[in-house]
Amino acid sequence: LSPTWFLSIIQNEFRNGKIDLESTMKLLEKLQMPFDFAHVKHVFKKTVDKRKVPTINMEDFRAIYRTIVHRPEFHERFRVYSANGKTLADNELTEFLRKEQYETESCESIALEIILKYEPIEEVRRRRQLSFEGFVRYMSSEDCSIFKSSHRTIYQDMNHPLCDYFISSSHNTYLVSDQLIGPSDLWGYASALLKGCRCLEIDCWDGSNNEPVVYHGHTLTSKISFCSVIQVIDKYAFVASEYPVVLSLENHCSPKQQEVMADYLEGILGDKLLTSTVGGTAMSQLPSPEALKFKILIKNKKVGTIEEGMLRRNVDSHGETGEVSDFENMSDEDEADEKTPLYPKSDSSKRKSDYVPSTPPQKKAKVKKVKIAIPLSDLVIYTKSERFVSFEHSLAHQQFYENNSIGEVRARKFVKHSAKEFVSHTSRFITRIYPKGTRATSSNYNPQEFWNVGCQMVALNFQTPGVQMELQDGKFLDNGGCGYILKPEFLRNRNSTFTPHDVGRYSRPMSLSIRLISGHQLPPSTLSKTNKADPLVQIEIYGVPEDQAKKKSSVIKSNALSPRWDETFSFNVQVPELALIRFCVEDEISLVTNEFLGQYTLPLLSLRKG
């Protein structure tokens, strides 16, 4: 530790001799290293324990700094490459980058960048060297993130048709807790959009004074006005990503209020709203995310074809309605076995239409005609909601701009019994999966099983934390977090014979070796007074069934500050293109229970070596 450099930064604070905990924290921030308050407080307390006054002198501060910053595992690496044990010359750093970080191109210029960016001691920086202080700062920085830096920006081809992408999608976006009595909140929409979500669900019902409202029908969740939802979407749609947003309307409104909805969509969204086909795209395939940048698409039932709607564009069609066939008592996304009213209002016994018949979906439900207001229908261009009948039916009759919503229970049966047909279907048509209605607490299903067959919109309850949302967040870190990820070729190719259960010739096996070295400043256990935890790490692979794997480290007793494992784990992955890797840190409380401390999930192919 260069005494002069260190002193020059800290001595001013010690002009009165001693400092307290708050000043210690401020001084550590000045030294530009990531510190966790709980850990600093703990080390500080240990230092002042025997004293009457809770303050420390300069020597104490140096000791605290070293305890937290000078990690032995960094020292060991540093000493391997530093001839004099004090600094790394630029050629020594270059060697480190080649051997340890697997950098292949322009190591010399990367080394120089690192020195200029991270070396805090000016004289060392001038000599084009890196001190241990600089090395620690580099090793603790984003530049050493396990996530490939090239995947932090948009690097995939964005000119394929929409159905060739996985699309970040949310279910019941207006809820911020559970589905029965929880609040509906505009923040649900803003926060989903800020996380890069590109498909939002809006559950619309007739409200008083001819104002449509958004809430979870037949439940006690609160109501928000449709108008305010569209205003929030207008404001936040393109903050996190420039690529198109799809508004999936679950529409229970009368034609009169559907017209009000159409007026709001056009009036508030203006030019952002897609109201006609995109120039240059053949009317035989969906346009690309690139062609639809900064556009908002409406997904709803539609009367007739796109062409018929376009011809009406300049004609005032207020007051006109059309009819589409639908099954009795089911909205666009209900299935008889999946969406019974969860929380019937007291008068539902009088209103037969609230109840969904319990016939399984294969039995012919009675067909009824649903009235759709023409002004709303004509706003649907490339995302027309079409009831799913069967894979054969879709292949024979479905248009490229028609999309299906399939409930998780039914979709899971297809994955199990007709995966090849499912993959063939999703190579042609956008398919949205949604959670079953009986998940009253807004719990989620595992999205991986539906990504495995190429479903584009696997809708999750964004408001519900847990492994499922962690997989969603991890997958969509890829491609710059823009909410669109190009599907692997075998899920885009219409002649593909890929299935998740039998990957056959589509396997591109990869052997993965992970060395778990150490942890640093882990969140202390909530059950511990002494800032301790007994941490262990689980490393999990999510992917096609044969790639699913889970390995567990040993437990390090009572050390949340700097647990050290030095264990190696190996995995063989058959379909790396679909795999996610999840690191989960837990505190072992007893032989049967662990407390969750933190996790990080990312696509396997976004994992950096080094």
Side-chain angles (χ1 to χ4, degrees):
L1 185 57
S2 160
T4 47
W5 164 77
F6 195 68
L7 277 176
S8 69
I9 292 180
I10 71 166
Q11 60 193 6
N12 201 20
E13 307 297 320
F14 284 97
R15 58 186 183 275
N16 301 330
K18 297 198 165 184
I19 62 171
D20 61 5
L21 176 60
E22 195 186 340
S23 305
T24 301
M25 270 314 285
K26 285 203 177 107
L27 196 44
L28 288 170
E29 279 163 22
K30 204 168 161 186
L31 286 155
Q32 292 179 317
M33 284 293 298
F35 291 102
D36 175 82
F37 179 71
H39 285 287
V40 176
K41 184 176 163 188
H42 182 61
V43 178
F44 184 90
K45 269 187 146 151
K46 261 178 34 187
T47 312
V48 300
D49 236 3
K50 317 261 184 305
R51 305 180 189 167
K52 293 187 180 64
V53 193
T55 56
I56 57 168
N57 62 24
M58 216 184 273
E59 266 317 298
D60 298 326
F61 180 79
R62 175 178 291 203
I64 290 173
Y65 178 82
R66 282 192 153 152
T67 302
I68 296 178
V69 175
H70 288 200
R71 298 165 61 179
E73 61 272 35
F74 286 169
H75 245 140
E76 290 156 26
R77 290 293 88 195
F78 186 77
R79 283 203 299 271
V80 170
Y81 293 90
S82 166
N84 64 10
K86 292 189 176 65
T87 57
L88 288 171
D90 51 4
N91 60 327
E92 292 171 333
L93 179 54
T94 302
E95 181 77 347
F96 170 82
L97 292 171
R98 270 204 192 99
K99 283 195 175 155
E100 302 282 341
Q101 306 295 56
Y102 297 89
E103 291 287 359
T104 47
E105 274 114 61
S106 56
C107 288
E108 287 79 4
S109 61
I110 295 173
L112 196 57
E113 263 174 55
I114 289 169
I115 290 169
L116 295 173
K117 191 170 172 186
Y118 296 109
E119 179 49 60
I121 305 167
E122 201 174 326
E123 71 223 54
V124 180
R125 196 166 58 233
R126 271 208 305 270
R127 294 199 303 267
R128 300 282 186 262
Q129 293 177 345
L130 195 67
S131 66
F132 183 59
E133 289 295 330
F135 184 71
V136 170
R137 280 161 178 70
Y138 161 65
M139 292 294 284
S140 312
S141 74
E142 276 294 282
D143 285 344
C144 283
S145 162
I146 196 168
F147 192 87
K148 267 186 192 163
S149 54
S150 59
H151 288 194
R152 286 179 191 279
T153 53
I154 293 158
Y155 67 95
Q156 297 177 345
D157 182 354
M158 300 305 282
N159 292 297
H160 288 255
L162 280 181
C163 58
D164 281 0
Y165 297 84
F166 292 119
I167 303 170
S168 176
S169 303
S170 118
H171 175 252
N172 287 352
T173 320
Y174 45 88
L175 293 181
V176 285
S177 65
D178 67 70
Q179 323 228 332
L180 296 184
I181 47 181
S184 305
D185 198 311
L186 292 169
W187 176 242
Y189 288 98
S191 66
L193 288 166
L194 292 172
K195 280 176 97 170
C197 181
R198 300 288 87 189
C199 176
L200 307 174
E201 185 188 26
I202 310 182
D203 215 336
C204 316
W205 299 79
D206 278 358
S208 48
N209 305 328
N210 207 26
E211 284 288 339
V213 290
V214 174
Y215 79 111
H216 198 51
H218 311 311
T219 66
L220 304 180
T221 59
S222 56
K223 299 174 182 177
I224 40 183
S225 76
F226 179 78
C227 171
S228 62
V229 169
I230 302 307
Q231 285 169 336
V232 166
I233 291 169
D234 178 59
K235 185 172 173 185
Y236 291 103
F238 302 110
V239 175
S241 166
E242 306 176 337
Y243 290 104
V245 169
V246 176
L247 304 184
S248 182
L249 303 184
E250 202 188 329
N251 199 342
H252 306 271
C253 292
S254 60
K256 194 176 173 201
Q257 294 208 11
Q258 288 178 37
E259 282 202 8
V260 176
M261 287 165 62
D263 288 343
Y264 280 138
L265 288 166
E266 294 203 66
I268 296 166
L269 300 177
D271 289 347
K272 296 188 186 106
L273 184 67
L274 187 76
T275 55
S276 63
T277 52
V278 177
T281 308
M283 278 303 286
S284 58
Q285 67 166 18
L286 290 168
S288 67
E290 193 61 41
L292 293 169
K293 260 186 173 175
F294 299 112
K295 287 293 180 195
I296 294 176
L297 284 69
I298 304 303
K299 177 168 152 10
N300 191 57
K301 290 202 162 44
K302 181 175 177 68
V303 180
T305 64
I306 298 182
E307 290 81 358
E308 291 164 1
M310 302 270 289
L311 290 172
R312 270 193 299 266
R313 262 320 280 168
N314 302 318
V315 182
D316 180 24
S317 51
H318 276 74
E320 288 183 44
T321 61
E323 286 186 331
V324 292
S325 307
D326 198 2
F327 294 101
E328 190 75 71
N329 297 336
M330 296 189 199
S331 75
D332 162 41
E333 51 160 62
D334 305 0
E335 285 164 17
D337 62 343
E338 290 200 8
K339 213 169 186 182
T340 44
L342 299 169
Y343 217 100
K345 298 233 178 89
S346 52
D347 63 307
S348 346
S349 50
K350 294 183 240 130
R351 296 208 321 267
K352 271 293 189 291
S353 67
D354 276 5
Y355 283 101
V356 175
S358 57
T359 52
Q362 3 338 353
K363 290 192 188 156
K364 271 279 179 273
K366 272 194 288 190
V367 173
K368 63 166 183 176
K369 298 284 188 198
V370 179
K371 281 194 164 26
I372 307 251
I374 294 295
L376 182 62
S377 168
D378 287 351
L379 296 181
V380 176
I381 309 293
Y382 293 115
T383 41
K384 174 183 176 184
S385 299
E386 193 56 43
R387 171 155 295 285
F388 179 75
V389 180
S390 68
F391 293 134
E392 299 72 42
H393 183 271
S394 290
L395 209 49
H397 305 287
Q398 195 162 327
Q399 300 296 320
F400 71 93
Y401 55 83
E402 296 179 323
N403 330 134
N404 311 113
S405 284
I406 306 176
E408 62 165 299
V409 174
R410 195 176 178 196
R412 202 169 282 121
K413 287 176 189 153
F414 292 147
V415 171
K416 197 172 168 185
H417 302 296
S418 29
K420 196 177 282 171
E421 292 77 7
F422 209 159
V423 169
S424 163
H425 181 83
T426 61
S427 71
R428 293 168 170 81
F429 308 112
I430 292 178
T431 305
R432 179 173 176 273
I433 308 296
Y434 60 91
K436 59 187 179 192
T438 47
R439 291 181 177 274
T441 55
S442 295
S443 60
N444 280 314
Y445 52 85
N446 178 354
Q448 185 70 44
E449 55 185 324
F450 303 118
W451 290 327
N452 286 344
V453 290
C455 297
Q456 293 83 350
M457 297 178 168
V458 180
L460 294 181
N461 292 300
F462 268 50
Q463 74 276 22
T464 311
V467 177
Q468 299 84 356
M469 251 334 271
E470 288 157 9
L471 296 177
Q472 156 81 22
D473 290 342
K475 185 172 187 69
F476 286 98
L477 285 174
D478 199 1
N479 205 26
C482 75
Y484 285 83
I485 290 169
L486 189 61
K487 299 199 286 184
E489 204 277 333
F490 53 78
L491 290 176
R492 307 193 306 257
N493 180 345
R494 295 186 171 187
N495 303 317
S496 172
T497 56
F498 171 85
T499 74
H501 300 280
D502 176 18
V503 299
R505 63 193 176 90
Y506 298 99
S507 165
R508 299 227 316 255
M510 174 175 160
S511 67
L512 173 68
S513 166
I514 290 199
R515 186 159 150 246
L516 171 65
I517 302 170
S518 63
H520 194 235
Q521 302 189 72
L522 301 178
S525 165
T526 50
L527 306 168
S528 151
K529 306 244 179 311
T530 55
N531 212 48
K532 295 281 201 285
D534 296 344
L536 67 128
V537 180
Q538 311 229 31
I539 302 177
E540 302 165 338
I541 305 278
Y542 289 83
V544 297
E546 66 176 304
D547 286 341
Q548 291 284 132
K550 189 181 209 166
K551 304 207 169 171
K552 205 168 168 176
S553 76
S554 57
V555 176
I556 305 293
K557 284 288 178 208
S558 130
N559 186 347
L561 176 62
S562 53
R564 186 81 188 256
W565 286 278
D566 287 318
E567 294 172 34
T568 302
F569 301 90
S570 299
F571 299 90
N572 280 314
V573 182
Q574 298 305 310
V575 189
E577 300 93 325
L578 286 172
L580 297 170
I581 181 162
R582 179 173 183 264
F583 299 89
C584 181
V585 184
E586 296 177 340
D587 174 26
E588 186 182 64
I589 292 167
S590 69
L591 290 174
V592 285
T593 55
N594 294 341
E595 184 196 4
F596 172 84
L597 293 181
Q599 68 85 40
Y600 185 67
T601 303
L602 73 164
L604 186 61
L605 295 178
S606 299
L607 199 63
R608 241 176 92 184
K609 286 175 161 184

